[in-house]
Amino acid sequence: MSELTSTIIERGDLAHLALFLWASGASTLLVWNMRQLADAHRRFNMFVQEIAALNRLFRNGS
């Protein structure tokens, strides 16, 4: 192979590696973000349930 061909092949492999690393990083961040959102939703749901329990307590107590 000529030097020009080998240079193009090497750069192509490097570009694919860079694209793979970028996609892997973006996917990892997306999964982490979705887990954080699910945890926040769970905590908010627990908060709303506690408020509802307090409302029932005050409504029944009066």
Side-chain angles (χ1 to χ4, degrees):
M1 279 196 292
S2 70
E3 186 177 323
L4 179 61
T5 307
S6 63
T7 303
I8 291 172
I9 290 173
E10 288 173 5
R11 287 187 182 177
D13 289 340
L14 183 59
H16 283 101
L17 178 62
L19 181 61
F20 172 74
L21 290 174
W22 175 82
S24 298
S27 297
T28 302
L29 286 175
L30 177 65
V31 168
W32 178 81
N33 193 21
M34 294 303 290
R35 286 182 181 169
Q36 294 296 317
L37 284 173
D39 290 343
H41 175 69
R42 194 174 307 112
R43 288 189 303 268
F44 182 72
N45 192 31
M46 289 172 54
F47 171 74
V48 169
Q49 288 176 356
E50 290 296 323
I51 294 296
L54 278 174
N55 283 337
R56 283 191 301 271
L57 178 69
F58 289 139
R59 192 176 318 131
N60 292 336
S62 343

